[in-house]
């Protein structure tokens, strides 16, 4: 299905106008700003569930809208924001809303981040692991965790790929089937720390140092140096100024599917009105039931 057909389908599922009514998202051009995304309306989550005692240790559950065909897969969504406390879960509410409207239950994870919430390496990743281990609790709301798609944006993509590499260890019994989707994902944190944009400069704050000072921690935190046996899809904007294209090319392995989105920047993936969101939906449909 091409972009035009997917955009038409999205417009039918999300009826909206130029004012972005609460029921939908009007189509927009590629490469929107972060502020364009945070200004979008969204539907509230149905459930908030703590997976720990800290105020940032919780997940929000969006259930598929009634009268939509169930996808059969649960999405675990991990937000980005340079791992910084300044950027919280709220900027992914429109994305969670849109994915639920497409038939996916969405378990959207908040976690401690660098700065005020007391995160950093490995605390932030420990929180993600705890949030994933809480998946069986979603059964109380009619959600089956048997088939999971991990989706992470930017720094959240880094954490999602790490979780995919540790997937079997996260469950004491039989682990759910899993696929991973990185949206402008940071795949090589060592390489990323060497950059000079504002998000790259936040990497040492997250890690506590530069790679030459604490190489062992960077190796442990580096998806590019991990073995990921689950199928992985990497979606990258052609014009992304925050996560360079080199990150798109660093993750190896035969199970990696790469899709470069023409004209897209960094925030297209979390804005449901963009052509990139249509590509995301297309890729999720192609994933189907994880192997």
């Amino acid at each position: 299905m091409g972009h035009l057909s997917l955009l038409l389908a999205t417009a039918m599922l999300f009826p909206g106008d130029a004012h972005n009514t609460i029921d939908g998202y009007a189509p927009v051009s590629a490469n929107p700003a972060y502020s364009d995304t945070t200004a979008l309306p969204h539907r509230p989550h149905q459930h908030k569930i703590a997976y720990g005692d800290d105020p940032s240790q919780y997940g929000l559950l969006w259930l598929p809208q009634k009268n939509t065909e169930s996808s059969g897969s649960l999405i675990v969504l991990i937000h980005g924001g340079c791992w910084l406390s300044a950027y919280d879960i709220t900027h992914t509410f429109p994305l969670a809303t849109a994915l639920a409207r497409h038939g996916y239950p969405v378990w959207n994870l908040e976690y401690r981040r660098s700065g005020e919430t007391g995160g950093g390496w490995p605390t932030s990743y420990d929180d993600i692991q705890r949030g994933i281990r809480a998946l069986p609790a979603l059964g109380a709301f009619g959600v089956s965790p048997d088939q999971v798609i991990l989706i992470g944006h930017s720094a959240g993509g880094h954490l999602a790929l790490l979780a995919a590499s540790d997937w079997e260890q996260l469950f004491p019994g039989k682990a759910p089937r899993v696929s991973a989707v990185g949206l402008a994902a940071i795949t090589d944190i060592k390489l990323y720390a060497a950059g000079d944009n504002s998000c790259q400069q936040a990497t040492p704050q997250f890690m506590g140092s530069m790679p030459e000072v604490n190489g062992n921690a960077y190796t442990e935190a580096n998806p590019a140096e991990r073995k990921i046996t689950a199928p992985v899809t990497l979606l990258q904007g052609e014009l992304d100024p925050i996560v360079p294209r080199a990150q798109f090319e660093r993750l190896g392995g035969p199970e990696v599917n790469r899709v470069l989105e023409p004209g897209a920047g960094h925030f297209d993936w979390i804005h449901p009105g963009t052509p990139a969101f249509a590509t995301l939906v297309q890729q999720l449909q192609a994933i189907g039931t994880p192997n």
Side-chain angles (χ1 to χ4, degrees):
M1 185 183 294
H3 275 165
L4 179 59
S5 297
L6 276 166
L7 283 172
L8 289 173
T10 301
M12 293 176 65
L13 283 170
F14 302 85
D17 57 23
H19 296 92
N20 281 336
T21 67
I22 194 66
D23 290 323
Y25 303 100
V28 298
S29 299
N31 202 7
Y34 176 73
S35 58
D36 294 330
T37 300
T38 57
L40 292 173
H42 61 271
R43 291 191 180 277
H45 55 274
Q46 280 85 359
H47 304 283
K48 179 178 180 179
I49 306 164
Y51 61 79
D53 296 329
D54 189 90
S56 293
Q57 293 177 316
Y58 66 86
L60 303 177
L61 179 62
W62 273 261
L63 296 173
Q65 183 163 327
K66 294 179 180 179
N67 303 321
T68 60
E69 183 178 353
S70 174
S71 70
S73 297
L74 164 67
I75 286 176
V76 175
L77 181 59
I78 306 173
H79 73 82
C82 310
W83 306 281
L84 293 170
S85 297
Y87 302 100
D88 66 8
I89 194 173
T90 57
H91 71 269
T92 56
F93 286 4
L95 176 59
T97 296
L99 292 172
R101 291 293 296 267
H102 276 281
Y104 296 92
V106 180
W107 178 230
N108 197 357
L109 292 179
E110 186 57 289
Y111 53 97
R112 289 172 289 177
R113 304 166 312 284
S114 303
E116 292 181 0
T117 61
W121 180 262
T123 303
S124 299
Y125 182 49
D126 289 344
D127 282 0
I128 295 301
Q129 291 178 307
R130 292 185 68 174
I132 290 172
R133 289 192 183 102
L135 288 180
L138 304 185
F141 308 106
V143 175
S144 170
D146 294 337
Q147 302 167 16
V148 176
I149 303 176
L150 289 169
I151 299 181
H153 176 242
S154 193
H158 163 256
L159 297 171
L161 292 171
L162 290 177
S165 72
D166 285 332
W167 192 251
E168 298 295 329
Q169 302 173 33
L170 296 178
F171 299 91
K174 182 180 178 181
R177 290 174 289 182
V178 68
S179 296
V181 178
L183 310 176
I186 297 166
T187 66
D188 189 330
I189 195 169
K190 290 181 179 177
L191 179 65
Y192 199 71
D196 58 8
N197 71 41
S198 59
C199 198
Q200 290 168 321
Q201 291 176 347
T203 308
Q205 181 181 349
F206 173 69
M207 292 299 301
S209 64
M210 289 292 287
E212 56 268 26
V213 176
N214 196 358
N216 289 338
Y218 271 87
T219 296
E220 184 181 1
N222 201 10
E225 298 181 73
R226 295 253 191 145
K227 181 179 180 181
I228 305 176
T229 59
V232 174
T233 296
L234 297 179
L235 304 180
Q236 176 76 21
E238 179 187 31
L239 305 179
D240 191 332
I242 296 176
V243 176
R245 185 170 172 176
Q247 292 290 320
F248 174 66
E249 299 166 346
R250 294 293 288 181
L251 197 68
E255 295 294 329
V256 178
N257 170 40
R258 293 177 174 84
V259 179
L260 185 66
E261 182 72 14
H266 188 67
F267 302 108
D268 299 65
W269 306 110
I270 59 173
H271 190 307
T274 62
F277 177 76
T279 295
L280 170 58
V281 172
Q282 185 180 36
Q283 292 300 315
L284 293 176
Q285 291 171 344
I287 288 171
T289 301
N291 293 323

